[in-house]
Amino acid sequence: MGTSTTTLERELAAARGELEITAAAIHLNHAGVSPLPRRAARAVADWAEDACRHGPAHLNGWFARVERARENLGRLLGVPPADLAFTRSTSHALLLVANTLPWQSGDNVVLAACEFPANVYPWRSLAWRGVETRTVQARADGRLAIDDYARLIDRRTRVVAASWVQFSNGFRQDLGRLSELCQARGALLVVDLIQGLGALPLELPRLGVRVAAGAAHKWLMAPQGLGWLYCHPEVISTLVPGCAGWLSVAEPFDFFNHDLGRLRPDARRFEESGPTVVAAHGLEASTSLLLEVGAARIAAQLRALTDQLVDGLGRAGHRVTSPRGANEWSGIVTFVPRAGGAAAMVERLAAAGVTVVVRGDAVRLSPHFYNTADELAHVLEVSSGDG
């Protein structure tokens, strides 16, 4: 056991060595924007240097790395790479779904009132087509209950839009149960995974999720400007290709054949043009680090770190507002300070070199696997008023 622990500590320390931000700050805002690992920064710099020195001479190699990024993403999600399309952002991916479903006036979408706006506006913007949005209210304890979704779903519910992990308090939804409910009622579950992928293990097929979206710059630790859409083949056939572009077709380099009947048969039909190649280079590198550490190890480390935060914040008299049940915790911990307010606490922590943010009346902390118990002890000391 001792040897195994030592090996794990050594491997985590090696991975931490790729995060140069640790020399200057304690970054606890991975639910916002993550710092880049050294290998991701190097991949971006190498691409820029190549483009500077050689122009597009190595274009094929660039796109090969894009495909490796797609493969890595597929491994993290447990899905085939062909079921993934790169987009500009989570919003872009969700807009693609919202605008390709064959809506009829009187249809409705069910979503939580506490969703991040990226998972609200694509659905509310369908009002001009006669589509109603219905909102599930979080309960007093910050949880979203499956029964509350069930009460709003009827025969005209086409989509249930949900986040796996809520950005505001870190509540993790039971996707398996929500998927079962949607399938039984004939509704399509569309999941925003951005606050969980890279922090928690995931196998979308096992959960029955057919459509999901996310982006690269949070827990995946990659550059901004790149999102992704997962679409199961059974769903693709039900969508109306209203956003097709030149790369959406089966033979995109047949420049003089404009036959839209020859769309790609998989999710790549949603890539209407080339992805952000430089961001994909960073994503391929950052996901390789996550895969090396391993999803189970990342989750175990995050559980230990967030438990440390919850315990210390509680002992200091702060009120933790993040649900912490066995299947509902995440890498996000929020708390309401015992005095002084959230904004003042964020300023206090910033002065001590700690990066956190305000969400509502709470302070949000979101460590990643490379953060350490010593760093969090410092955060707790500062937040307790003793440091």
Side-chain angles (χ1 to χ4, degrees):
M1 180 66 73
T3 302
S4 176
T5 301
T6 302
T7 299
L8 174 58
E9 289 176 347
R10 210 164 37 236
E11 291 174 352
L12 286 174
R16 177 180 168 84
E18 296 227 22
L19 277 299
E20 294 188 6
I21 194 171
T22 56
I26 299 175
H27 187 83
L28 300 183
N29 188 29
H30 298 89
V33 177
S34 282
L36 293 183
R38 169 46 53 191
R39 69 176 69 182
R42 187 166 55 244
V44 169
D46 288 349
W47 172 86
E49 185 67 19
D50 187 21
C52 178
R53 289 177 176 270
H54 306 291
H58 302 137
L59 190 66
N60 289 341
W62 300 350
F63 280 98
R65 193 155 195 180
V66 171
E67 293 311 308
R68 291 200 298 275
R70 196 191 310 269
E71 291 168 4
N72 285 356
L73 189 59
R75 288 175 63 189
L76 289 171
L77 291 162
V79 303
D83 292 349
L84 295 168
F86 283 122
T87 64
R88 296 189 299 275
S89 62
T90 309
S91 294
H92 180 205
L94 293 172
L95 282 164
L96 284 171
V97 178
N99 288 288
T100 55
L101 283 165
W103 300 98
Q104 294 183 7
S105 181
D107 289 342
N108 67 73
V109 177
V110 174
L111 50 82
C114 56
E115 288 289 343
F116 189 77
N119 201 20
V120 175
Y121 293 129
W123 312 111
R124 286 192 176 174
S125 67
L126 298 169
W128 71 274
R129 302 178 69 172
V131 177
E132 175 193 4
T133 54
R134 300 177 175 182
T135 52
V136 177
Q137 299 296 325
R139 298 196 173 184
D141 57 10
R143 293 171 170 86
L144 291 162
I146 300 294
D147 289 347
D148 293 341
Y149 281 93
R151 274 189 281 272
L152 293 180
I153 298 172
D154 63 19
R155 63 184 182 82
R156 296 302 301 273
T157 302
R158 296 296 307 279
V159 165
V160 174
S163 289
W164 184 25
V165 174
Q166 286 296 328
F167 81 102
S168 56
N169 69 351
F171 170 69
R172 178 175 20 141
Q173 184 61 262
D174 186 335
L175 292 183
R177 286 187 61 207
L178 190 56
S179 177
E180 288 176 4
L181 171 66
C182 291
Q183 290 179 33
R185 300 289 185 89
L188 177 66
L189 176 60
V190 178
V191 184
D192 178 353
L193 295 174
I194 196 170
Q195 291 294 3
L197 186 64
L200 300 165
L202 185 65
E203 287 186 55
L204 286 184
R206 183 178 60 82
L207 297 171
V209 175
R210 294 288 190 268
V211 179
H217 61 279
K218 297 185 186 291
W219 302 92
L220 293 176
M221 308 181 74
Q224 290 181 281
L226 190 67
W228 53 268
L229 171 66
Y230 162 68
C231 196
H232 190 278
E234 292 177 0
V235 176
I236 288 175
S237 62
T238 70
L239 303 180
V240 178
C243 302
W246 78 278
L247 278 180
S248 302
V249 299
E251 298 293 339
F253 296 100
D254 185 358
F255 299 131
F256 299 100
N257 187 342
H258 301 160
D259 181 7
L260 267 180
R262 299 166 56 253
L263 290 172
R264 290 180 184 267
D266 53 38
R268 291 174 297 174
R269 66 171 55 187
F270 296 111
E271 293 182 9
E272 72 275 8
S273 59
T276 305
V277 171
V278 60
H281 275 58
L283 179 64
E284 188 275 336
S286 67
T287 50
S288 73
L289 176 61
L290 296 177
L291 289 166
E292 286 172 15
V293 177
R297 284 178 170 180
I298 291 172
Q301 179 73 350
L302 276 175
R303 181 75 209 218
L305 293 173
T306 54
D307 280 350
Q308 179 186 356
L309 286 172
V310 169
D311 180 62
L313 292 167
R315 284 189 284 103
H318 305 305
R319 179 167 61 89
V320 174
T321 55
S322 295
R324 296 294 296 173
N327 297 313
E328 60 188 19
W329 70 275
S330 71
I332 294 173
V333 172
T334 54
F335 73 96
V336 177
R338 65 174 186 266
M345 179 62 74
V346 169
E347 290 180 6
R348 181 178 183 177
L349 287 166
V354 182
T355 305
V356 297
V357 295
V358 175
R359 288 296 178 263
D361 63 350
V363 180
R364 187 181 74 182
L365 304 90
S366 47
H368 214 325
F369 72 92
Y370 68 88
N371 289 119
T372 66
D374 287 344
E375 287 179 328
L376 299 196
H378 173 68
V379 172
L380 290 169
E381 183 181 16
V382 173
S383 66
S384 72
D386 299 326

